Amino acid sequence: MEQKFPLFIVTGASGVGKTTVMHVLRDLMPEFVVFSTDIDNFGTTAEKLEYQDRYNLLLHFAYSVALSGRGTIICGTFMPWDAQKCDTFNKFSELCFINLHCDDSTRNSRLQNREDKAMWTDDMLKQHEQFAQWLLDNAETEYNPPMPTIETTATPPSQVAEQIKRYVMLKWDERTAHTED
């Protein structure tokens, strides 16, 4: 019987710190493979792929990593229904989402100071405010297991990464305990 592993997804609205914390996680958790959903991580190939195709590839990569007994963390805006459409979705014991969140003014300031700041119109900022609120409002009901939220407004990326690590290791150790029963 093939052992299934959990997959970890660090999600949140744009500007909450997913990419920044991803770099810290790679150093903090070398025993895990850390991927990003960002288009830059796929090179020029990404321009040819729809989002769902990128998600499907990421889950294939994560499954390949799991075959070696290691875990994967994916950082990026990724929703449960995106994962459910992937053909390797059922190869994981569970998908454990972690929501990064910061207050609206901090997120808006971060977005308006990025390289792509021209795209962050008032309407786009408002959409991300609503999305961030949706994640908070639905963390307990739309995610199984329920999705914890880590506040990034004033928390340094190293501390956010430590909180992610604690959650990941807790779930990873639960998996180990279940296989020993």
Side-chain angles (χ1 to χ4, degrees):
M1 184 173 104
E2 180 182 333
Q3 183 180 5
K4 291 184 176 185
F5 294 91
L7 174 62
F8 301 94
I9 300 173
V10 177
T11 193
S14 291
V16 296
K18 298 179 299 290
T19 301
T20 301
V21 81
M22 174 189 70
H23 297 294
V24 179
L25 282 173
R26 285 182 174 149
D27 291 336
L28 184 64
M29 301 182 72
E31 67 279 15
F32 281 76
V33 176
V34 182
F35 291 116
S36 172
T37 62
D38 286 347
I39 198 165
D40 323 355
N41 294 292
F42 287 91
T44 57
T45 303
E47 297 166 6
K48 302 170 193 161
L49 298 174
E50 298 292 328
Y51 280 104
Q52 190 59 50
D53 293 325
R54 285 186 231 152
Y55 299 146
N56 201 37
L57 279 175
L58 283 168
L59 261 64
H60 273 276
F61 295 156
Y63 176 62
S64 292
V65 169
L67 291 174
S68 70
R70 297 176 66 204
T72 297
I73 301 168
I74 297 173
C75 297
T77 304
F78 200 140
M79 303 301 285
W81 48 85
D82 296 323
Q84 291 165 357
K85 294 176 191 171
C86 296
D87 52 17
T88 54
F89 173 75
N90 290 322
K91 300 284 187 179
F92 301 95
S93 60
E94 62 184 344
L95 267 63
C96 302
F97 285 82
I98 303 156
N99 180 35
L100 299 188
H101 180 80
C102 64
D103 65 47
D104 293 340
S105 64
T106 299
R107 185 180 48 260
N108 291 348
S109 175
R110 289 175 183 173
L111 292 171
Q112 291 170 322
N113 287 305
R114 289 185 358 180
E115 283 183 31
D116 64 351
K117 60 185 169 192
M119 75 172 272
W120 294 102
T121 63
D122 289 343
D123 185 51
M124 286 284 291
L125 294 172
K126 188 69 175 164
Q127 287 177 30
H128 279 265
E129 288 177 15
Q130 292 168 347
F131 177 59
Q133 188 60 51
W134 185 93
L135 289 169
L136 292 175
D137 293 344
N138 291 279
E140 297 288 320
T141 57
E142 295 296 320
Y143 294 84
N144 184 20
M147 178 174 63
T149 294
I150 298 174
E151 176 61 42
T152 67
T153 302
T155 310
S158 60
Q159 289 179 15
V160 173
E162 285 289 346
Q163 291 178 50
I164 293 169
K165 180 179 180 178
R166 279 194 295 277
Y167 176 77
V168 167
M169 296 313 298
L170 175 72
K171 299 303 275 178
W172 193 256
D173 291 345
E174 283 177 10
R175 172 210 47 94
T176 306
H178 292 251
T179 57
E180 293 173 358
D181 290 342

